[in-house]
Amino acid sequence: MKMANSIYKINKGINQSIEFKGLKAQYIWYLGGGVVVLMILFALLYILGLPSIACVGMIGVLGTILVVKIYKMSNQYGEHGMMKALAKKQLPKRIKVYSRRVFMMR
């Protein structure tokens, strides 16, 4: 009796960040949140009595700007680059010491 060899597929996508149509990692969430905000804004404008065509036009323009900006950030910074850029901005440019006491040995 001869045993058949088993063939296993190797999961090569393990531990990689998620990507959807070019958007990487957290930018998917940013786009989703922006769409929700635009839907709420549309509802508020419609309730306030603006004509529906004006509401659709305004939300269309804002939505286009949102998508372009988020894709630009995703391509520019990548998965972790925006967090690194924000952290770098929080570092002080210089440290001023007005006393020599810091450098004196005790």
Side-chain angles (χ1 to χ4, degrees), residues 3 11 20 25 32-34 43 46 48 64 70 72 88 94 102:
M3 295 182 70
N11 187 359
F20 178 73
Y46 189 75
L48 289 175
T64 303
I70 289 184
K72 183 180 176 186
K88 189 174 182 180
R94 63 189 69 83
V102 174

Side-chain angles (χ1 to χ4, degrees), residues 2-103:
K2 190 174 182 182
M3 295 182 70
N5 289 338
S6 298
I7 298 174
Y8 297 102
K9 288 185 179 182
I10 297 173
N11 187 359
K12 294 185 179 182
I14 199 161
N15 288 339
Q16 288 186 350
S17 66
I18 59 171
E19 185 174 339
F20 178 73
K21 298 202 181 223
L23 286 179
K24 299 172 190 85
Q26 73 269 21
Y27 301 104
I28 298 169
W29 294 105
Y30 296 160
L31 185 62
V35 168
V36 169
V37 168
L38 286 175
M39 288 185 343
I40 292 170
L41 181 64
F42 176 82
L44 287 174
L45 291 174
Y46 189 75
I47 290 170
L48 289 175
L50 261 66
S52 61
I53 193 72
C55 295
V56 169
M58 189 182 306
I59 297 301
V61 169
L62 291 175
T64 303
I65 292 170
L66 174 76
V67 169
V68 168
K69 289 283 189 182
I70 289 184
Y71 268 97
K72 183 180 176 186
M73 285 192 313
S74 179
N75 291 332
Q76 180 179 358
Y77 294 117
E79 183 180 354
H80 301 294
M82 190 168 72
M83 290 183 283
K84 290 179 182 180
L86 291 174
K88 189 174 182 180
K89 283 183 181 181
Q90 292 179 351
L91 289 174
K93 302 243 184 296
R94 63 189 69 83
I95 298 173
K96 292 184 181 180
V97 178
Y98 294 106
S99 171
R100 300 169 109 199
R101 202 167 162 205
V102 174
F103 300 106

